[in-house]
Amino acid sequence: MPVTTDRSTGTREFDALIIGAGFSGLYQLHCLRDRLGLSAQVLETADGVGGTWYWNRYPGARCDSESHSYAYYFSKEILEEWEWSERYPEQPEIMRYLNYVADKLDLKRDIRFNTRVASARYDEDANRWRIATETGEQYAATYLITAVGCLSSANIPDIPGLDSFAGDCYHTGQWPHQGVDFTGKRVGQIGTGSTGIQAAPVIAAAARHLTVFQRTPNYSVPAHNGPLSDDFKRYMREHHDEIREVMHSTPNGHPFRIADRNVADVAPEERLAIYEKAWEIGGLRFRAAFRDLLLDKAANDTAAEFLKNKIRSVVEDPETAEKLANIDHPYAAKRPPIDTHYFETFNRNNVSLVDVRAAPIERITPSGIVTADGEYPLDVIVFATGFDAMTGPLLGIDIEGRDGMTLKDAWSAGPKTYLGLAVAGFPNMFTVTGPGSPSVLCNMPVAIEQHVEWITDCIAHMRANGINRIEADPEAMEKWVAHVNDAANATLLPSVEHSWYLGANVPGKPRVFMPYAGGMTRYRAVCDDIAAKGYEGFRKSGNHQDTGRNGSTVGDFAPAAAIDTPGV
Ligand code: FAD
Ligand code: N01
């Protein structure tokens, strides 16, 4: 319910507006409405909750965080009531889960669906954010929280002739709810990231023929998905606290620890045995085999070689195997996919692989895709081409802060934030999993719960202390940006030129390493420390008796050398 509706303008007035009804927006609404007692409204483009899981309904879509960790941990009751069925839940099961949470907490009554936010403008005199939707509805609130997701802005490459294609085209992140029938169809799939690697085996099983257009070959480790045993379900029910403790004390928020050993600590035969065991366990746990895989190229080379040999041993046609194994980046320096029979799919006689780095896509015609090697006739094109990650959804809204400064201008050379949570010049605006936060390098529900709780505590602090306005100090923000760069540069992550972490997948996007690679544990400690010091590095104004220090008094966050095991 709005606090009031301004009769002359029709503006609906709230304490807080939240954009997005995925994992982040749902929990943010619960915290602000039910814990702080604020009037809060979520605005959401989709006609239901779920975010990522509402949009990504492509064949094979499932989580690659393990189910017992891909969940909210703030409510014991929710943890006890919900039971996952598989090691990696499928998209419909995650949608059921998020709907269950939204219903249990009675959230939907305060979510306005089918409502895309087009603009948000900070009105300095009134100290209010004024929001307009695509259809012209007006809202206003003191606090604006963007929970728009890191991976919610589909990236469809601008290939000449795309509009002329006579068949059907789909982006995996905008998949039709009624599904797609591939029976008897010649399907072309562009993209071999986490999505393409999940989708290809399932599409191949249904289609007449699948042609995979691969630009960058990729590693993948078998997920070894399957139903959860009764024993494991009991373990999950009885050990929530221990599982949470592990997730909160590892850099990447997953429910397993990264081994405390370096590759060079073990002899080559033992190393191989460790990799074999990690391969058998499967999933993202492979990455936990050694501590220094993302710190030391020579260490990483051993994992890379092991994984490339696995590809060669699975794929029967040597030429196809070499195209798949011709990987030019360190393992896990791009988001490491996990799969169910991805490489095996290339042994099917209805599947072929096209190397579009060797022979680039030139254009799309009414009947197919043309590369430098000729035309591939197709009935359907699937774009598994990823997202304009992290900045795309935020810059998709026309956001204007203090003194007419737009977010587009503020970020023209790449995003800058303080902690990934706030931007100088944009008072009382909080960005859940914004650029500069660990977010995509972490098991995201862990990061999301931390961000949402930190924002909630910050707003509670403001209200308790008569602070009307809080804004990141520019100098503190610059220090954080420098720290984010240092953290990334201490790892192999920025060495990959064709990584969406750097924005390289979107033509013209500034090349800036966006997520915080210093690990979730360190990040949480920094955020807690800043809050404990009265929100150090923020400018506060109002009638407050605040004891915290205003402005850019923040110290150095951590020397680059101290960044041990990064997220992922
Ligand atoms: P989202 O779920 O993206 O929700 C954002 C919402 O904001 C969307 O519903 C969108 O419609 C809405 N929105 C955006 N802009 C506007 C606007 N202008 N107006 C109104 N509404 C707007 N993470 C993991 O940790 N583990 C995984 O295994 C994993 N698997 C993934 C699989 C896929 C296919 C993808 C794409 C991502 C995956 N992720 C995974 C990352 C995933 O995005 C997060 O785990 C999490 O779901 C993000 O939740 P969110 O609420 O922050 O954002
Ligand atoms: O997208 P991607 P995604 N011509 O950007 C290629 C999360 N996620 O949707 O690498 C030809 O990774 C592109 O090639 P290149 C996870 O965080 C999680 O797969 O840029 N090819 C690449 O191969 C993930 O990282 C899960 O050279 C083009 C592919 O398309 C993130 O979402 C599942 C091209 C895009 O890969 C994004 O994953 C799915 C062009 N013009 C997603 N443009 C799970 O956890 C792009 N490509 C299970």
Side-chain angles (χ1 to χ4, degrees):
M1 286 283 289
V3 181
T4 53
T5 300
D6 182 320
R7 290 235 176 98
S8 58
T9 61
T11 301
R12 294 165 213 204
E13 309 269 351
F14 293 88
D15 293 323
L17 283 166
I18 300 158
I19 311 175
F23 254 101
S24 302
L26 292 177
Y27 186 36
Q28 189 67 76
L29 173 61
H30 174 57
C31 285
L32 295 182
R33 188 191 68 181
D34 303 331
R35 290 192 191 152
L36 300 193
L38 304 190
S39 68
Q41 172 89 56
V42 174
L43 304 173
E44 166 58 59
T45 308
D47 68 4
V49 301
T52 288
W53 304 101
Y54 174 95
W55 297 104
N56 289 267
R57 298 173 189 236
Y58 59 84
R62 64 172 75 244
C63 202
D64 58 14
S65 293
E66 293 175 15
S67 53
H68 64 297
S69 67
Y70 197 72
Y72 293 115
Y73 267 69
F74 67 84
S75 158
K76 209 166 176 53
E77 212 178 318
I78 289 174
L79 279 166
E80 279 167 2
E81 274 180 21
W82 185 262
E83 189 172 274
W84 294 104
S85 67
E86 290 184 278
R87 181 173 175 187
Y88 303 101
E90 238 183 325
Q91 174 271 335
E93 189 171 7
I94 306 174
M95 275 294 279
R96 283 198 296 281
Y97 171 74
L98 289 170
N99 273 286
Y100 149 78
V101 172
D103 291 336
K104 180 164 182 66
L105 301 176
D106 194 15
L107 298 176
K108 288 179 187 168
R109 69 183 154 94
D110 288 310
I111 303 174
R112 199 160 171 92
F113 294 110
N114 300 305
T115 303
R116 203 187 84 77
V117 173
S119 67
R121 185 177 63 80
Y122 179 65
D123 174 346
E124 188 157 9
D125 294 338
N127 189 31
R128 304 277 284 165
W129 278 94
R130 305 207 173 276
I131 277 87
T133 71
E134 212 169 34
T135 56
E137 287 177 334
Q138 306 288 326
Y139 293 81
T142 305
Y143 314 105
L144 173 65
I145 296 103
T146 64
V148 291
C150 296
L151 300 161
S152 61
S153 181
N155 170 42
I156 302 178
D158 188 14
I159 301 173
L162 173 56
D163 289 344
S164 73
F165 185 58
D168 296 319
C169 284
Y170 306 98
H171 186 280
T172 50
Q174 298 172 336
W175 204 258
H177 289 198
Q178 68 279 15
V180 175
D181 183 3
F182 291 110
T183 317
K185 300 276 170 66
R186 296 161 305 173
V187 183
Q189 174 188 303
I190 305 178
T192 54
S194 299
T195 298
I197 281 175
Q198 282 189 329
V202 189
I203 296 175
R208 167 143 67 105
H209 191 90
L210 171 67
T211 306
V212 175
F213 294 86
Q214 169 189 274
R215 186 163 70 182
T216 301
N218 217 338
Y219 302 96
S220 187
V221 171
H224 296 313
N225 186 38
L228 293 174
S229 66
D230 288 343
D231 279 352
F232 192 77
K233 286 179 183 170
R234 192 172 327 108
Y235 165 78
M236 289 200 302
R237 266 197 310 277
E238 292 172 359
H239 295 85
H240 294 140
D241 292 342
E242 290 94 319
I243 296 167
R244 183 198 289 104
E245 202 281 317
V246 175
M247 294 195 302
H248 281 205
S249 57
T250 54
N252 57 20
H254 284 286
F256 50 84
R257 296 193 193 280
I258 294 174
D260 189 20
R261 63 177 165 228
N262 289 331
V263 166
D265 295 342
V266 300
E269 315 78 61
E270 190 186 346
R271 187 176 72 220
L272 199 58
I274 289 170
Y275 283 140
E276 282 294 354
K277 187 158 176 244
W279 176 265
E280 282 315 311
I281 293 169
L284 295 175
R285 287 179 191 251
F286 185 88
R287 188 259 162 276
F290 292 101
R291 201 184 68 84
D292 56 345
L293 288 184
L294 278 160
L295 299 173
D296 178 352
K297 175 73 168 56
N300 194 291
D301 284 347
T302 65
E305 201 45 37
F306 176 87
L307 293 171
K308 290 176 188 179
N309 284 336
K310 284 291 181 194
I311 298 172
R312 294 179 186 115
S313 72
V314 170
V315 179
E316 289 159 7
D317 173 47
E319 206 182 310
T320 306
E322 266 332 290
K323 279 187 203 162
L324 290 163
N326 185 23
I327 308 173
D328 65 356
H329 56 275
Y331 164 66
K334 291 181 95 167
R335 170 66 142 76
I338 68 175
D339 70 276
T340 301
H341 308 314
Y342 175 65
F343 293 115
E344 290 84 343
T345 297
F346 294 93
N347 295 335
R348 297 177 65 108
N349 55 18
N350 71 331
V351 175
S352 43
L353 180 68
V354 174
D355 177 353
V356 297
R357 182 160 289 169
I361 294 175
E362 289 180 347
R363 61 186 188 282
I364 292 176
T365 65
S367 54
I369 293 180
V370 177
T371 74
D373 280 345
E375 179 166 35
Y376 296 85
L378 300 168
D379 304 305
V380 179
I381 300 175
V382 173
F383 287 97
T385 44
F387 302 90
D388 182 355
M390 302 199 81
T391 52
L394 286 164
L395 294 176
I397 304 170
D398 182 11
I399 301 180
E400 186 183 308
R402 223 172 5 83
D403 304 325
M405 190 205 312
T406 64
L407 193 65
K408 254 184 208 101
D409 285 343
W411 286 4
S412 58
K416 289 184 174 186
T417 69
Y418 185 39
L419 306 173
L421 290 165
V423 186
F426 299 80
N428 296 352
M429 180 179 95
F430 299 93
T431 50
V432 183
T433 67
S437 73
S439 53
V440 291
L441 295 180
C442 184
N443 176 33
M444 287 201 70
V446 173
I448 287 169
E449 282 195 343
Q450 184 274 347
H451 294 205
V452 166
E453 286 163 8
W454 192 94
I455 291 166
T456 306
D457 289 348
C458 178
I459 292 175
H461 173 88
M462 289 172 71
R463 296 175 79 81
N465 291 281
I467 301 169
N468 301 331
R469 200 183 312 232
I470 194 162
E471 181 187 335
D473 180 85
E475 229 179 286
M477 183 170 81
E478 290 298 338
K479 276 191 179 172
W480 182 251
V481 170
H483 177 61
V484 170
N485 286 330
D486 285 350
N489 290 333
T491 73
L492 301 177
L493 293 165
S495 69
V496 190
E497 279 174 12
H498 45 70
S499 164
W500 64 256
Y501 292 151
L502 275 164
N505 61 329
V506 177
K509 190 165 170 168
R511 295 285 195 279
V512 170
F513 192 84
M514 294 181 287
Y516 175 59
M520 191 59 211
T521 332
R522 179 188 306 274
Y523 175 82
R524 186 188 298 276
V526 169
C527 290
D528 287 351
D529 186 49
I530 283 168
K533 290 176 179 157
Y535 296 90
E536 194 175 55
F538 284 92
R539 290 176 176 170
K540 290 146 279 180
S541 57
N543 310 316
H544 61 103
Q545 306 293 314
D546 191 43
T547 51
R549 281 173 288 173
N550 266 315
S552 62
T553 52
V554 284
D556 291 332
F557 294 104
I563 303 297
D564 40 28
T565 315
V568 186

